[in-house]
Amino acid sequence: MKELTRSAQLSDIRQQNYSTIMRELMRSGPTARTDLATAIGMSTGSVTRLTGALVRAGLLRESPEPAQRGTGRPKVPVAIDDSTYGVVGVHFGLRRVNMCLIDLRGQLIAEAHTTERTTNFERLARSAARSVRKLIDGHDLTVLGVGASTGGWVDSASGLVHGQPVLDWQEAPLASTLHELLDLPILVDSQVRALALAEHWFGAAVGVDNFVHLFVGNVAGAGFVFNGSPYRGVHSAAGGLDHFPVAGRSSEPCTCGSHDCFAVVGGDLEVARRARVAGLITDEQEVYDVFALALGGDLRARGLLQDRAALVGTATATLIELLDPELVVIGGGISAPVDDVSILREAAQDKLATNRGTTPTSHSNSAEGAGSFTARILPSAFGPHALGIAAAAIMLDAVYRSPESLVPALV
């Protein structure tokens, strides 16, 4: 029994060391082993042994060119190998499922999306699985697993979607269903936590340990990272903002009966509804058609989107007052494909200045906040690809945390 316990402890230490090395190389890029050892506080011998195993497993590669020339033995950098393995992300939204394949550096390799006319869980899962299999078969990377996300209340520990109001899913077994269909490791999480994770890993929030990712689409939600770790809440339900009261009013009631909930006042469905009332789009068209009109120069479509951005800006100010983050990353239709983050930023700065009795700064496109009271407000780094990449980041994070459990060649 003691031998088993010792073996398990050694395995845990080795796993942690692998993870430390990979995370540092993800952060710093190609690094010589001696410099890597200094950076992570490990002996050069240990780093050499561990990186050797990671190279043989295909997780790291040696640079073909020495990092320096001159006297003495050349330093050969090691780096994350982006040519062997990858992970897939699947995001389930209303009428649209986004899928993407990324490599181990988080770079987008390929993506696909399907337009669906159903919200039935089983049918959507089967359709997504077919598309994922086609995506995998079209590329040479060995896929280590699939991350899946959607809006609403998603429990990553159980793999269940307890409630997704837009798709009308209740207790949907997303992880187990996709595993049965794909025979690959599956991890699930809410889209807002996945978005925050991706931005923290390799997006707009790299190096920032206290920030909020605010997403406004068909649902409204926020992913929180505090002291470098995602905050999930006691029941894995943190971040839902659909029923958060905001300034403004929709003529359509929310499912709860109110007319001032974030989702029904500032969401994509409300933008599309107002566009239909204005005669900009037909009953069959969606918010994506409003985006296309705005990008084409339609002033009324631009006005609808700018009004929405200003409204979300006042809500952003409330979040900043509540949480005092260093950074707020904006995702969804406000940041891409039409970028109205500057309008949101101005509205947030004005609201914060008014609430605190200070003078607003001059409005500009600067990413910096107003004085020392607010936070920087930046668009997502991933543009229109954000939802798929974020879903993939759920699995990518697991690869970096526990490479031995997902890469048989390493064991």
Side-chain angles (χ1 to χ4, degrees):
M1 185 61 124
K2 288 182 179 179
E3 286 300 319
L4 287 175
T5 301
R6 176 174 169 76
S7 177
Q9 289 174 340
L10 290 173
S11 177
D12 288 344
I13 293 171
R14 185 174 63 249
Q15 184 97 282
Q16 182 178 344
N17 289 338
Y18 283 147
S19 178
T20 299
I21 287 169
M22 291 182 65
R23 287 175 182 273
E24 176 61 24
L25 291 173
M26 178 69 154
R27 184 192 67 81
S28 62
T31 307
R33 288 175 173 87
T34 52
D35 297 331
L36 179 61
T38 300
I40 62 178
M42 197 179 294
S43 73
T44 302
S46 294
V47 167
T48 299
R49 183 176 66 256
L50 292 164
T51 55
L54 291 166
V55 168
R56 289 190 295 274
L59 291 166
L60 301 184
R61 59 175 173 79
E62 291 186 338
S63 174
E65 292 293 333
Q68 66 181 33
R69 297 185 182 275
T71 59
R73 188 173 181 177
K75 294 182 178 181
V76 180
V78 287
I80 299 297
D81 188 340
D82 54 9
S83 64
T84 304
Y85 298 111
V87 295
V88 169
V90 184
H91 174 262
F92 293 88
L94 180 64
R95 301 190 182 92
R96 192 176 179 96
V97 179
N98 294 293
M99 289 141 289
C100 76
L101 171 65
I102 65 174
D103 63 29
L104 292 192
R105 290 178 56 204
Q107 299 172 122
L108 180 65
I109 303 301
E111 64 180 340
H113 74 268
T114 60
T115 301
E116 307 287 351
R117 291 297 174 184
T118 180
T119 59
N120 179 269
F121 170 71
E122 288 79 10
R123 288 173 63 185
L124 282 176
R126 286 195 297 271
S127 174
R130 287 193 296 271
S131 297
V132 167
R133 184 55 61 191
K134 187 180 297 184
L135 195 65
I136 293 172
D137 291 344
H139 295 83
D140 293 334
L141 292 178
T142 298
V143 170
L144 298 174
V146 176
S149 70
T150 190
W153 179 11
V154 183
D155 188 340
S156 57
S158 67
L160 293 174
V161 180
H162 291 304
Q164 215 291 20
V166 175
L167 295 176
D168 196 26
W169 291 358
Q170 300 293 326
E171 304 304 322
L174 184 56
S176 61
T177 300
L178 289 178
H179 178 69
E180 290 174 7
L181 292 167
L182 291 167
D183 193 26
L184 285 168
I186 308 291
L187 293 174
V188 304
D189 211 337
S190 74
Q191 69 184 41
V192 290
R193 285 195 292 270
L195 287 161
L197 181 66
E199 298 290 354
H200 194 217
W201 254 104
F202 45 91
V206 170
V208 180
D209 285 341
N210 291 280
F211 74 95
V212 174
H213 187 293
L214 175 61
F215 178 87
V216 182
N218 289 327
V219 297
F224 309 117
V225 172
F226 299 140
N227 298 323
S229 300
Y231 178 74
R232 301 179 180 281
V234 175
H235 304 100
S236 200
L241 296 177
D242 281 346
H243 303 289
F244 188 72
V246 297
R249 184 176 177 85
S250 172
S251 62
E252 295 294 320
C254 179
T255 54
C256 70
S258 298
H259 290 262
D260 63 349
C261 292
F262 204 157
V264 297
V265 177
D268 283 353
L269 293 176
E270 176 68 3
V271 171
R273 187 194 69 77
R274 294 189 178 193
R276 293 187 192 102
V277 170
L280 293 173
I281 60 175
T282 67
D283 290 344
E284 290 74 32
Q285 291 179 299
E286 307 291 343
V287 72
Y288 300 104
D289 299 291
V290 182
F291 295 151
L293 286 171
L295 288 170
D298 188 293
L299 295 181
R300 291 190 297 166
R302 287 288 296 128
L304 279 176
L305 296 174
Q306 289 170 349
D307 289 346
R308 191 262 291 268
L311 181 145
V312 174
T314 61
T316 302
T318 302
L319 288 175
I320 292 171
E321 287 191 300
L322 281 170
L323 300 170
D324 189 27
E326 180 182 345
L327 171 69
V328 179
V329 180
I330 304 297
I334 295 173
S335 64
V338 180
D339 184 357
D340 284 325
V341 173
S342 61
I343 292 171
L344 179 152
R345 187 183 299 121
E346 290 177 4
Q349 290 174 355
D350 284 351
K351 178 68 173 174
L352 286 165
T354 300
N355 288 358
R356 288 164 170 154
T358 58
T359 303
T361 58
S362 60
H363 291 153
S364 69
N365 289 327
S366 169
E368 298 302 320
S372 60
F373 291 107
T374 187
R376 290 182 298 145
I377 300 173
L378 298 175
S380 167
F382 306 117
H385 316 291
L387 290 169
I389 289 175
I394 300 168
M395 183 56 67
L396 186 66
D397 181 63
V399 173
Y400 276 76
R401 276 189 290 107
S402 182
E404 279 191 340
S405 64
L406 291 165
V407 183
L410 187 58
V411 179

Coordinates of all heavy atoms in Angstrom, one line a residue, residues 114-170:
T114 N -22.8 25.1 -38.5 CA -24.0 24.6 -39.1 C -25.1 25.5 -38.6 O -25.2 26.0 -37.5 CB -24.3 23.2 -38.7 OG1 -24.5 23.1 -37.2 CG2 -23.2 22.2 -39.1
T115 N -26.1 25.7 -39.5 CA -27.3 26.5 -39.2 C -28.4 25.5 -39.0 O -28.7 24.7 -39.8 CB -27.6 27.4 -40.4 OG1 -26.5 28.3 -40.6 CG2 -28.9 28.3 -40.0
E116 N -29.0 25.6 -37.8 CA -30.0 24.6 -37.4 C -31.4 25.3 -37.2 O -31.5 26.4 -36.9 CB -29.6 24.0 -36.0 CG -28.2 23.4 -36.0 CD -28.1 22.1 -36.8 OE1 -29.1 21.6 -37.2 OE2 -26.9 21.6 -36.9
R117 N -32.4 24.5 -37.5 CA -33.8 24.9 -37.3 C -34.4 24.2 -36.2 O -35.7 24.1 -36.2 CB -34.5 24.8 -38.7 CG -34.1 25.8 -39.7 CD -34.3 27.2 -39.3 NE -33.8 28.2 -40.3 CZ -33.8 29.5 -40.1 NH1 -34.2 30.0 -39.0 NH2 -33.2 30.3 -41.0
T118 N -33.6 23.6 -35.4 CA -34.2 22.8 -34.3 C -33.4 23.2 -33.0 O -32.3 23.6 -33.1 CB -34.1 21.3 -34.5 OG1 -34.6 20.6 -33.4 CG2 -32.6 20.9 -34.7
T119 N -34.1 23.0 -31.9 CA -33.4 23.2 -30.6 C -33.4 21.8 -29.8 O -32.9 21.8 -28.7 CB -34.1 24.2 -29.7 OG1 -35.4 23.8 -29.5 CG2 -34.0 25.6 -30.3
N120 N -33.8 20.8 -30.5 CA -33.9 19.4 -29.9 C -32.4 19.0 -29.5 O -31.6 19.0 -30.4 CB -34.5 18.4 -30.8 CG -34.5 17.0 -30.2 OD1 -33.6 16.3 -30.5 ND2 -35.6 16.7 -29.5
F121 N -32.2 18.6 -28.3 CA -30.9 18.3 -27.8 C -30.2 17.2 -28.6 O -29.1 17.3 -29.0 CB -30.9 18.0 -26.3 CG -29.6 17.4 -25.8 CD1 -28.5 18.2 -25.6 CD2 -29.5 16.1 -25.4 CE1 -27.3 17.7 -25.2 CE2 -28.3 15.6 -25.0 CZ -27.2 16.4 -24.8
E122 N -30.9 16.0 -28.7 CA -30.4 14.9 -29.4 C -30.0 15.2 -30.8 O -28.9 14.8 -31.3 CB -31.3 13.7 -29.3 CG -31.4 13.1 -27.9 CD -32.4 13.8 -27.0 OE1 -33.1 14.8 -27.5 OE2 -32.4 13.5 -25.8
R123 N -30.9 15.8 -31.5 CA -30.7 16.1 -32.9 C -29.5 17.1 -33.1 O -28.6 16.9 -34.0 CB -31.9 16.7 -33.6 CG -33.0 15.7 -33.8 CD -34.3 16.4 -34.2 NE -34.1 17.0 -35.5 CZ -35.1 17.7 -36.1 NH1 -36.3 17.9 -35.5 NH2 -34.9 18.3 -37.3
L124 N -29.4 18.1 -32.2 CA -28.2 19.0 -32.3 C -26.9 18.3 -32.0 O -25.9 18.6 -32.6 CB -28.5 20.2 -31.3 CG -29.4 21.3 -31.8 CD1 -29.6 22.3 -30.7 CD2 -28.9 22.0 -33.1
A125 N -26.9 17.4 -31.0 CA -25.7 16.7 -30.6 C -25.3 15.8 -31.7 O -24.1 15.8 -32.0 CB -26.0 15.9 -29.3
R126 N -26.2 15.1 -32.4 CA -25.8 14.2 -33.5 C -25.3 15.0 -34.7 O -24.3 14.7 -35.3 CB -27.0 13.4 -33.9 CG -27.3 12.3 -33.0 CD -28.3 11.3 -33.6 NE -29.6 11.8 -34.0 CZ -30.6 11.9 -33.2 NH1 -30.5 11.4 -31.9 NH2 -31.8 12.4 -33.6
S127 N -25.9 16.2 -35.0 CA -25.4 17.0 -36.1 C -24.1 17.6 -35.8 O -23.2 17.6 -36.7 CB -26.4 18.2 -36.3 OG -25.9 19.1 -37.3
A128 N -23.9 18.0 -34.5 CA -22.5 18.5 -34.2 C -21.5 17.5 -34.3 O -20.4 17.7 -34.7 CB -22.6 19.1 -32.8
A129 N -21.8 16.3 -33.8 CA -20.8 15.2 -33.8 C -20.4 14.8 -35.3 O -19.2 14.6 -35.5 CB -21.4 13.9 -33.2
R130 N -21.3 14.8 -36.2 CA -21.0 14.6 -37.6 C -20.0 15.7 -38.1 O -19.1 15.4 -38.8 CB -22.3 14.6 -38.5 CG -23.1 13.3 -38.3 CD -24.1 13.2 -39.4 NE -25.1 14.3 -39.3 CZ -26.3 14.2 -38.6 NH1 -26.6 13.2 -37.9 NH2 -27.1 15.3 -38.7
S131 N -20.3 16.9 -37.8 CA -19.5 18.0 -38.3 C -18.1 18.0 -37.6 O -17.1 18.3 -38.3 CB -20.1 19.4 -38.0 OG -21.4 19.5 -38.7
V132 N -18.0 17.6 -36.3 CA -16.7 17.5 -35.7 C -15.9 16.4 -36.3 O -14.7 16.5 -36.5 CB -16.9 17.2 -34.2 CG1 -15.6 16.8 -33.5 CG2 -17.5 18.5 -33.5
R133 N -16.5 15.3 -36.6 CA -15.8 14.1 -37.2 C -15.3 14.5 -38.6 O -14.1 14.2 -38.9 CB -16.7 12.9 -37.3 CG -16.1 11.7 -37.9 CD -14.9 11.3 -37.1 NE -15.1 11.0 -35.7 CZ -14.2 10.8 -34.8 NH1 -12.9 10.9 -35.1 NH2 -14.5 10.5 -33.6
K134 N -16.1 15.3 -39.3 CA -15.6 15.8 -40.6 C -14.4 16.7 -40.5 O -13.5 16.7 -41.2 CB -16.8 16.4 -41.4 CG -16.5 16.8 -42.8 CD -17.7 17.5 -43.5 CE -18.8 16.6 -43.6 NZ -20.0 17.2 -44.3
L135 N -14.5 17.6 -39.5 CA -13.4 18.5 -39.2 C -12.1 17.8 -38.9 O -11.0 18.1 -39.3 CB -13.8 19.5 -38.1 CG -13.0 20.8 -37.9 CD1 -13.2 21.7 -39.1 CD2 -13.5 21.5 -36.6
I136 N -12.2 16.8 -38.0 CA -11.1 16.0 -37.6 C -10.5 15.3 -38.8 O -9.2 15.2 -39.0 CB -11.5 15.0 -36.5 CG1 -11.8 15.8 -35.2 CG2 -10.3 14.1 -36.2 CD1 -12.4 15.0 -34.1
D137 N -11.3 14.6 -39.6 CA -10.9 13.8 -40.7 C -10.2 14.6 -41.8 O -9.4 14.1 -42.5 CB -12.0 13.0 -41.3 CG -12.6 12.0 -40.4 OD1 -11.9 11.6 -39.4 OD2 -13.7 11.5 -40.6
G138 N -10.4 15.9 -41.8 CA -9.9 16.8 -42.8 C -8.5 17.3 -42.5 O -7.9 18.1 -43.3
H139 N -7.9 17.0 -41.3 CA -6.6 17.5 -40.9 C -5.8 16.4 -40.3 O -6.3 15.4 -39.8 CB -6.9 18.7 -40.0 CG -7.6 19.8 -40.6 ND1 -8.9 19.9 -40.7 CD2 -7.1 21.0 -41.2 CE1 -9.3 21.0 -41.3 NE2 -8.2 21.7 -41.7
D140 N -4.5 16.7 -40.2 CA -3.5 15.7 -39.8 C -3.3 15.7 -38.3 O -2.7 14.8 -37.8 CB -2.2 15.9 -40.5 CG -2.3 15.6 -42.0 OD1 -3.1 14.8 -42.4 OD2 -1.5 16.2 -42.7
L141 N -3.8 16.7 -37.6 CA -3.5 16.7 -36.1 C -4.3 15.6 -35.4 O -5.4 15.3 -35.8 CB -4.0 18.1 -35.6 CG -3.2 19.3 -36.0 CD1 -3.8 20.5 -35.3 CD2 -1.8 19.2 -35.6
T142 N -3.6 15.0 -34.4 CA -4.3 14.0 -33.6 C -5.1 14.8 -32.5 O -4.5 15.6 -31.7 CB -3.2 13.1 -32.9 OG1 -2.5 12.4 -33.9 CG2 -3.9 12.2 -31.9
V143 N -6.4 14.6 -32.5 CA -7.2 15.4 -31.6 C -7.3 14.7 -30.2 O -7.6 13.5 -30.1 CB -8.7 15.5 -32.2 CG1 -9.6 16.1 -31.2 CG2 -8.6 16.4 -33.4
L144 N -7.0 15.4 -29.2 CA -6.9 14.8 -27.8 C -8.2 14.9 -27.1 O -8.4 14.2 -26.1 CB -5.8 15.6 -27.0 CG -4.4 15.5 -27.5 CD1 -3.5 16.4 -26.7 CD2 -3.9 14.1 -27.5
G145 N -9.1 15.7 -27.6 CA -10.4 15.8 -26.9 C -11.2 16.9 -27.5 O -10.8 17.7 -28.3
V146 N -12.5 17.1 -27.0 CA -13.4 18.1 -27.4 C -13.9 18.9 -26.2 O -14.3 18.3 -25.2 CB -14.6 17.4 -28.2 CG1 -15.6 18.5 -28.5 CG2 -14.1 16.7 -29.4
G147 N -13.9 20.2 -26.3 CA -14.5 21.0 -25.3 C -15.8 21.5 -25.9 O -15.9 21.9 -27.1
A148 N -16.9 21.5 -25.1 CA -18.2 22.0 -25.5 C -18.7 23.0 -24.6 O -18.6 22.9 -23.4 CB -19.2 20.8 -25.6
S149 N -19.4 24.0 -25.2 CA -20.0 25.1 -24.3 C -21.3 25.5 -24.9 O -21.7 25.3 -26.0 CB -19.0 26.3 -24.3 OG -19.0 26.9 -25.6
T150 N -22.1 26.1 -24.0 CA -23.3 26.8 -24.4 C -23.7 27.8 -23.3 O -23.0 27.8 -22.3 CB -24.5 25.7 -24.6 OG1 -25.6 26.3 -25.2 CG2 -24.9 25.1 -23.2
G151 N -24.7 28.5 -23.5 CA -25.2 29.5 -22.5 C -26.0 28.8 -21.4 O -26.3 27.6 -21.5
G152 N -26.3 29.6 -20.4 CA -27.1 29.1 -19.3 C -26.3 28.5 -18.2 O -25.1 28.8 -18.0
W153 N -26.9 27.6 -17.5 CA -26.3 26.9 -16.3 C -25.7 25.6 -16.7 O -26.4 24.6 -16.9 CB -27.4 26.7 -15.2 CG -26.9 26.1 -13.9 CD1 -25.6 25.9 -13.5 CD2 -27.7 25.6 -12.9 NE1 -25.6 25.3 -12.3 CE2 -26.9 25.1 -11.9 CE3 -29.1 25.6 -12.7 CZ2 -27.4 24.5 -10.7 CZ3 -29.6 25.0 -11.5 CH2 -28.7 24.5 -10.5
V154 N -24.4 25.6 -16.8 CA -23.6 24.4 -17.2 C -22.7 23.9 -16.1 O -21.9 24.7 -15.5 CB -22.8 24.7 -18.5 CG1 -22.1 23.4 -18.9 CG2 -23.6 25.2 -19.6
D155 N -22.8 22.7 -15.7 CA -22.0 22.1 -14.6 C -20.9 21.3 -15.2 O -21.1 20.2 -15.7 CB -22.9 21.3 -13.7 CG -22.2 20.8 -12.4 OD1 -20.9 20.8 -12.4 OD2 -22.9 20.4 -11.5
S156 N -19.7 21.9 -15.1 CA -18.5 21.2 -15.7 C -18.2 19.9 -15.0 O -17.7 18.9 -15.6 CB -17.3 22.1 -15.7 OG -17.0 22.5 -14.4
A157 N -18.5 19.8 -13.7 CA -18.2 18.6 -13.0 C -19.0 17.4 -13.4 O -18.5 16.3 -13.6 CB -18.3 18.8 -11.5
S158 N -20.3 17.6 -13.5 CA -21.2 16.5 -13.9 C -21.4 16.4 -15.4 O -21.9 15.3 -15.9 CB -22.6 16.8 -13.3 OG -23.2 17.9 -13.9
G159 N -21.0 17.4 -16.2 CA -21.2 17.3 -17.6 C -22.6 17.6 -18.1 O -22.9 17.4 -19.2
L160 N -23.4 18.2 -17.1 CA -24.8 18.4 -17.4 C -25.1 19.9 -17.7 O -24.4 20.8 -17.1 CB -25.7 18.0 -16.3 CG -25.8 16.6 -15.9 CD1 -26.6 16.4 -14.6 CD2 -26.5 15.8 -17.0
V161 N -26.0 20.2 -18.7 CA -26.5 21.5 -18.8 C -27.8 21.5 -18.1 O -28.8 21.0 -18.5 CB -26.8 21.8 -20.3 CG1 -27.3 23.2 -20.5 CG2 -25.5 21.7 -21.1
H162 N -27.8 22.1 -16.9 CA -28.9 22.1 -16.0 C -30.1 23.0 -16.6 O -31.2 22.6 -16.4 CB -28.6 22.6 -14.6 CG -27.7 21.7 -13.8 ND1 -28.0 20.4 -13.6 CD2 -26.5 21.9 -13.3 CE1 -27.1 19.9 -12.9 NE2 -26.1 20.7 -12.7
G163 N -29.7 24.0 -17.3 CA -30.7 24.9 -17.9 C -30.1 25.8 -18.9 O -29.2 26.5 -18.7
Q164 N -30.7 25.7 -20.1 CA -30.3 26.6 -21.2 C -31.6 27.2 -21.8 O -32.3 26.6 -22.6 CB -29.5 25.8 -22.3 CG -28.4 26.6 -23.0 CD -28.8 27.7 -23.9 OE1 -29.9 28.3 -23.8 NE2 -28.0 28.1 -24.8
P165 N -31.9 28.4 -21.3 CA -33.3 29.0 -21.6 C -33.5 29.2 -23.1 O -34.6 29.1 -23.6 CB -33.3 30.3 -20.8 CG -31.9 30.6 -20.6 CD -31.1 29.4 -20.5
V166 N -32.5 29.6 -23.9 CA -32.7 29.9 -25.3 C -32.9 28.7 -26.1 O -33.8 28.6 -27.0 CB -31.5 30.7 -25.8 CG1 -31.6 30.9 -27.3 CG2 -31.3 32.1 -25.1
L167 N -32.2 27.6 -25.7 CA -32.5 26.3 -26.4 C -33.5 25.4 -25.7 O -33.9 24.4 -26.2 CB -31.1 25.5 -26.5 CG -30.0 26.2 -27.3 CD1 -28.7 25.3 -27.2 CD2 -30.5 26.3 -28.8
D168 N -34.0 25.9 -24.6 CA -34.9 25.1 -23.8 C -34.4 23.7 -23.4 O -35.2 22.8 -23.5 CB -36.3 25.0 -24.5 CG -37.4 24.6 -23.6 OD1 -37.3 24.9 -22.4 OD2 -38.4 24.0 -24.1
W169 N -33.2 23.7 -23.0 CA -32.6 22.4 -22.5 C -32.7 22.4 -21.0 O -32.4 23.4 -20.3 CB -31.1 22.3 -22.9 CG -30.8 22.1 -24.3 CD1 -31.7 22.0 -25.4 CD2 -29.5 22.0 -24.9 NE1 -31.1 21.8 -26.5 CE2 -29.7 21.8 -26.3 CE3 -28.2 22.1 -24.4 CZ2 -28.6 21.7 -27.2 CZ3 -27.2 21.9 -25.3 CH2 -27.4 21.8 -26.7
Q170 N -33.1 21.2 -20.5 CA -33.1 21.0 -19.0 C -32.4 19.7 -18.7 O -32.8 18.6 -19.3 CB -34.6 20.9 -18.5 CG -35.4 22.2 -18.8 CD -34.9 23.4 -17.9 OE1 -34.4 23.2 -16.8 NE2 -35.0 24.6 -18.5

